[in-house]
Amino acid sequence: MTRAEVAKEGGTVTHVVCDDTATLLFLADQACVTPHRWLSRTDRAAGPDHPDRLVFDLDPPDDDFAPVRAAAAVLRTLLDELALPAAPVTTGSRGLHLVVPLDGRQGFDEVRRFAHDVAELAAARHPDRLTTVVRKEDRGDRSLSRRPAQRLRTDRRGPYAVRDRPGAPDAWSQLEDPGLHARRWTIADALEQDRTDPWAELPAGGRGLGPARRRLAELRG
């Protein structure tokens, strides 16, 4: 079984690298229902401090998914302006993640600052729909466009991973379906989703943030 030892405060911790079917079956046998994966890879020369994914976390103020769909469309438009491709993943609970593939050259701190600036600009453009305020009582009826996870946090569920609430990934075209909800896809749909690739339109390689940062600076004036 492949493993990766990484530093933590006061020592190190060893994590499983799930890179084959046997390991996945082992984790399931250990009652691992929902695998959580890092935003970085073990095979990067720069190490785990350089993420391969930038994740925007869209949370609705309540169980209504319509504001999340609207917020995703707003954020997607902004990411298009920055020439950053993105793909959605329903969380299986109430919200939605927008995932931007990166080339792993930037560290977590730089990626976090960039994501914060993007979220702030999106919220400034649409203050009636988006906010970066975390406290629910201060959000009103706006969706939350959060910054990415803190350094090396492992709270991003893998696509097609089920939860104690059913859920699975989604495609952009399906976000336009007014009947869509974060819990639309369940383990019962697994066979229908088999051998499909909802992210087929994403480029094979991740993007660097240099050009996007310059475009963002222009948009912010």
Side-chain angles (χ1 to χ4, degrees):
M1 183 180 298
T2 307
R3 294 174 291 179
E5 184 177 2
V6 295
K8 70 170 186 176
E9 185 176 357
T12 62
V13 61
T14 300
H15 290 275
V16 172
V17 179
C18 188
D19 54 4
D20 58 25
T21 303
T23 303
L24 182 61
L25 291 174
F26 170 81
L27 293 175
D29 193 52
Q30 298 298 308
C32 175
V33 177
T34 307
H36 293 236
R37 63 180 190 174
W38 283 31
L39 301 179
S40 55
R41 298 165 57 98
T42 60
D43 59 356
R44 291 292 188 188
D49 288 332
H50 289 65
D52 298 273
R53 295 285 186 270
L54 165 58
V55 180
F56 291 95
D57 189 357
L58 298 174
D59 269 349
D62 49 40
D63 202 38
D64 184 5
F65 197 68
V68 178
R69 292 174 50 244
V74 166
L75 189 54
R76 182 192 186 189
T77 298
L78 176 53
L79 292 173
D80 283 344
E81 292 180 58
L82 299 175
L84 289 177
V89 179
T90 52
T91 63
S93 178
R94 297 190 309 165
L96 188 76
H97 291 166
L98 297 187
V99 182
V100 178
L102 303 177
D103 61 9
R105 295 182 180 181
Q106 288 80 25
F108 267 93
D109 290 340
E110 183 178 353
V111 172
R112 188 183 301 112
R113 285 192 298 268
F114 175 80
H116 174 266
D117 291 343
V118 171
E120 290 289 348
L121 178 57
R125 284 183 170 184
H126 302 273
D128 57 329
R129 293 184 179 182
L130 288 173
T131 180
T132 56
V133 175
V134 175
R135 292 172 62 88
K136 290 185 178 180
E137 55 268 31
D138 296 331
R139 291 190 221 163
D141 58 357
R142 298 169 295 177
S143 294
L144 173 66
S145 176
R146 286 195 257 195
R147 287 178 287 178
Q150 293 299 312
R151 179 177 178 270
L152 302 186
R153 239 176 106 189
T154 58
D155 66 347
R156 294 298 175 238
R157 299 167 186 88
Y160 295 103
V162 297
R163 302 181 60 181
D164 53 349
R165 300 175 181 179
D170 210 9
W172 272 120
S173 59
Q174 294 165 323
L175 283 178
E176 299 172 0
D177 179 1
L180 178 67
H181 193 275
R183 297 187 293 273
R184 159 64 181 85
W185 302 107
T186 73
I187 195 171
D189 302 305
L191 291 179
E192 296 178 16
Q193 298 293 316
D194 185 35
R195 301 183 186 282
T196 65
D197 185 3
W199 291 1
E201 296 181 0
L202 281 181
R207 297 291 176 86
L209 291 183
R213 169 63 77 181
R214 291 189 289 273
R215 294 187 185 97
L216 181 61
E218 294 175 359
L219 294 176
R220 297 175 71 192

